[in-house]
Amino acid sequence: MNEALASAPIGVIEATTDGEITAVNERAATLIETAPAAAVGEPLATGFPASAADHLSEILDDEPTPTAFEEYYPRIDRWLAVDVQADDGLRLFVRETTEKHALQQRVEGLDRRLDRVQRIDALIVRVLQHVIGAADREEIAQSVCKRLGGADRYDFVWVGNREFNTDRLRVVDTAGTAPELRDRIDTALGETDSLPGQRAVDTGETQVIDAFADDASSPRGVRQAAFASGLQSCLAVPLQYQETVYGVLSVYAGQADGFSEQERAGLETLGRVAGFAIRSIRQEDLLVADTVTEVTLSVSGESIPLDQAAAETDTTFSLSGAVPRGDGPVICYVTPESDIVAVADDGDDEDNEDDENEEEGTAATDPSSAAAEGTPTTRTIEQTLAAYEQVTDVSWIRAGDDPLLQVTVAGETPVTALTGWGASITSATYRGGSTRIVAEAPPEENTRRLLETVNDVVADTDLLAKEATTPSPEPVAAFRNELADRLTDRQQAALRAAYLADYFESPRGSTAAEVADSLDIAGPTLLYHLRRAQRKLIAAFLATDPATPAGGDQ
């Protein structure tokens, strides 16, 4: 081998026409993991690593001819590209292509994953479209099972509803090719062992079982039935809105580790949307019900920021309205019943404002003197409420003789628990150590479960009164129900929040920007929803022909 080939950056192996190695450069020796001196004199068939297809042996069996091939060599765990030259002897040029093949495999794997994610996302979107349009909880369950269970990806699907009166699951619908599993699940729901679906309801968190047959926490009969049907992994997603779990979606796959992070995210989104749809159905039931169950509760505990602030400021607060924001928080419109003193914000012009007030004959308020007299100030109340973890926003809509405070609460509070559960809060009074809440629920709802829902977030809950009431006179109820059918959820929330925030008063108690901020939306978005809601409201009131639609979105 000449000096140029011996020092070449690619592997070079020289051999006779009979296949006996005569020379090996350093790069070739490194690639085939041998010493140059040890390879010399060896046949190519044994000195060169064997591949699966073994193209080199085929070449040596016939008349040697120039050729090229690329193969994987298991002994050295490398891909090699080999160019064979045949003249007076054989010369093999060897290059490693392992990295190229690894990159190609990664690309192909990503392509397969992307295709899988796209197919799953498309499936989830189709299911979501049917869930949003469902008329009741049974139709939601049927839509989910029919479309998920009919997909190639999932072998068995079941949806269970949470029975609030017993706090147990009831299977509503199933789909897939594991009929025996349905019977075992029904049986297991009445036993002490916990299914992944039951754990998802109890914890409010997704449960993933990568190897279902080995999951000792699940009932033995269920595991056996799943294994017999070829089911190896399971994912259980709670059907949840805010803090309330209404049921569960359990999906089974035919391979271990059958759920990617993307699938889990998509199915969790489906669970949240289904939970929202169930809650909307419950609220619709409340709107159209001939009678509702009105309950009066007394609650106490540290998770009631308005009650805590009432004690700290020696003030009584009355809740005049509550608007669920849609993403968990609830906007509360609160009136202080005690005398309060309006105090201007600190600023560079405070002295000038005091001078102007004195010239007009109105004495400016001194915060220190008000505090000394024991009279709470607007600033004291605002700062006190803002300090609580559950309060995300607080602002005064108006002060003076008829004050109104806007307080947004989130997390675990009685107000968020009740609205998340589907109840409508009609009034509440916070006296500092004693909170009284009046709420309405559909007549078929279980009062004990409502109490437990609230009791989960407070120290103590007492039922003071319970009665069936008629929501409103029939003509008024019919008008409201018809209009509610025409308004979207966002239009209703925007209209109610603007009304409670005195946006329609003159002068306005809140600006459009302030109302938009309370709903966590942009100002133009608020005005968009308000204009369409107002058009529908006015059209419903002024229409002379009953068949005329109450406004549109044109």
Side-chain angles (χ1 to χ4, degrees):
M1 182 180 295
N2 62 44
E3 183 178 349
L5 292 177
S7 60
I10 65 172
V12 181
I13 301 175
E14 293 181 343
T16 65
T17 54
D18 295 332
E20 181 181 328
I21 297 175
T22 58
V24 178
N25 74 352
E26 289 292 338
R27 179 56 182 161
T30 300
L31 289 175
I32 65 175
E33 297 183 358
T34 187
V40 173
E42 291 287 325
L44 274 172
T46 57
F48 200 84
S51 67
D54 206 7
H55 283 97
L56 188 58
S57 295
E58 295 176 4
I59 294 170
L60 294 175
D61 287 343
D62 300 323
E63 183 72 22
T65 56
T67 186
F69 55 87
E70 189 172 356
E71 295 179 303
Y72 175 70
Y73 295 84
R75 183 176 66 79
I76 59 175
D77 192 24
R78 287 191 175 99
W79 279 84
L80 298 179
V82 181
D83 293 301
V84 180
Q85 292 184 356
D87 196 356
D88 294 336
L90 297 176
R91 181 174 289 132
L92 281 63
F93 295 94
V94 185
R95 293 174 292 107
E96 183 175 6
T97 57
T98 303
E99 186 175 344
K100 181 189 77 172
H101 281 274
L103 178 61
Q104 182 178 347
Q105 289 176 346
R106 285 197 296 270
V107 171
E108 291 174 352
L110 289 173
D111 286 340
R112 289 192 298 271
R113 181 182 297 180
L114 177 61
D115 178 65
R116 176 177 165 185
V117 169
Q118 289 175 336
R119 286 188 287 109
I120 291 170
D121 286 347
L123 173 64
I124 297 297
V125 168
R126 291 196 298 272
V127 177
L128 289 174
Q129 291 171 343
H130 287 86
V131 165
I132 291 297
D136 53 38
R137 297 176 69 171
E138 283 69 24
E139 187 175 338
I140 290 175
Q142 292 167 3
S143 297
V144 171
C145 287
K146 178 181 178 181
R147 283 155 185 86
L148 287 184
D152 296 335
R153 175 75 193 133
Y154 306 119
D155 297 284
F156 185 75
V157 178
W158 68 275
V159 172
N161 277 352
R162 181 184 186 182
E163 301 288 355
F164 283 101
N165 58 340
T166 62
D167 205 22
R168 285 180 51 194
L169 278 172
R170 175 179 61 86
V171 178
V172 180
D173 201 12
T174 63
T177 56
E180 185 181 354
L181 184 57
R182 163 66 189 266
D183 296 335
R184 296 294 181 90
I185 289 173
D186 281 331
T187 302
L189 289 175
E191 298 174 348
T192 55
D193 287 340
S194 179
L195 286 168
Q198 185 66 60
R199 294 198 295 272
V201 170
D202 293 341
T203 64
E205 297 178 353
T206 299
Q207 303 294 308
V208 181
I209 309 300
D210 293 326
F212 193 68
D214 299 331
D215 180 38
S217 63
S218 296
R220 181 183 179 86
V222 173
R223 285 185 283 137
Q224 289 176 335
F227 181 78
S229 301
L231 306 178
Q232 298 189 47
S233 56
C234 171
L235 183 142
V237 176
L239 307 182
Q240 181 175 8
Y241 180 74
Q242 296 180 11
E243 302 300 324
T244 304
V245 179
Y246 298 100
V248 69
L249 163 65
S250 289
V251 183
Y252 294 75
Q255 63 274 353
D257 299 324
F259 301 92
S260 66
E261 289 297 325
Q262 292 88 345
E263 283 178 90
R264 174 172 174 168
L267 291 169
E268 286 178 338
T269 298
L270 174 59
R272 289 191 294 270
V273 173
F276 171 78
I278 293 171
R279 176 183 179 273
S280 298
I281 291 170
R282 290 161 65 92
Q283 286 189 321
E284 183 178 353
D285 291 341
L286 180 62
L287 287 173
V288 302
D290 294 331
T291 61
V292 297
T293 300
E294 182 184 86
V295 294
T296 303
L297 307 177
S298 174
V299 296
S300 60
E302 296 181 357
S303 63
I304 315 173
L306 281 165
D307 187 67
Q308 298 287 99
E312 193 170 338
T313 61
D314 194 21
T315 306
T316 297
F317 295 116
S318 293
L319 181 69
S320 57
V323 180
R325 207 171 68 181
D327 55 349
V330 178
I331 308 168
C332 300
Y333 296 88
V334 180
T335 300
E337 295 184 355
S338 307
D339 291 334
I340 61 170
V341 176
V343 178
D345 292 335
D346 292 333
D348 295 335
D349 297 330
E350 185 174 4
D351 293 338
N352 294 334
E353 292 174 359
D354 290 347
D355 292 340
E356 292 173 2
N357 289 335
E358 288 176 1
E359 290 175 2
E360 294 172 1
T362 303
T365 301
D366 182 353
S368 60
S369 63
E373 296 171 2
T375 303
T377 67
T378 53
R379 187 183 306 160
T380 301
I381 293 174
E382 184 175 345
Q383 291 174 344
T384 301
L385 281 166
Y388 292 104
E389 181 182 358
Q390 299 97 328
V391 176
T392 61
D393 182 67
V394 54
S395 60
W396 286 96
I397 292 174
R398 59 177 182 261
D401 295 335
D402 185 23
L404 181 62
L405 185 63
Q406 176 180 284
V407 182
T408 303
V409 296
E412 295 186 345
T413 71
V415 169
T416 54
L418 284 167
T419 56
W421 187 74
S424 175
I425 300 173
T426 57
S427 66
T429 305
Y430 305 87
R431 300 186 182 278
S434 172
T435 296
R436 184 186 179 98
I437 299 176
V438 180
E440 294 178 344
E444 72 275 7
E445 294 296 346
N446 184 272
T447 304
R448 182 184 67 84
R449 183 55 210 164
L450 184 147
L451 293 175
E452 291 177 355
T453 299
V454 178
N455 202 50
D456 287 341
V457 299
V458 299
D460 188 40
T461 306
D462 290 323
L463 177 64
L464 302 181
K466 170 189 171 183
E467 64 177 329
T469 63
T470 301
S472 58
E474 183 60 30
V476 177
F479 176 80
R480 287 179 174 174
N481 292 339
E482 180 183 356
L483 184 61
D485 287 340
R486 299 180 185 276
L487 293 175
T488 67
D489 290 341
R490 293 196 174 192
Q491 289 169 356
Q492 291 188 51
L495 198 61
R496 182 168 176 79
Y499 171 75
L500 292 171
D502 283 359
Y503 174 76
F504 299 112
E505 296 294 327
S506 181
R508 285 176 173 167
S510 300
T511 65
E514 289 169 340
V515 177
D517 285 342
S518 72
L519 293 169
D520 197 24
I521 59 176
T525 303
L526 172 76
L527 296 176
Y528 175 87
H529 292 314
L530 280 180
R531 282 195 296 271
R532 277 147 185 79
Q534 288 171 310
R535 173 181 172 81
K536 293 177 181 179
L537 177 62
I538 295 170
F541 183 75
L542 297 179
T544 57
D545 182 0
T548 302
D553 280 334
Q554 295 88 346

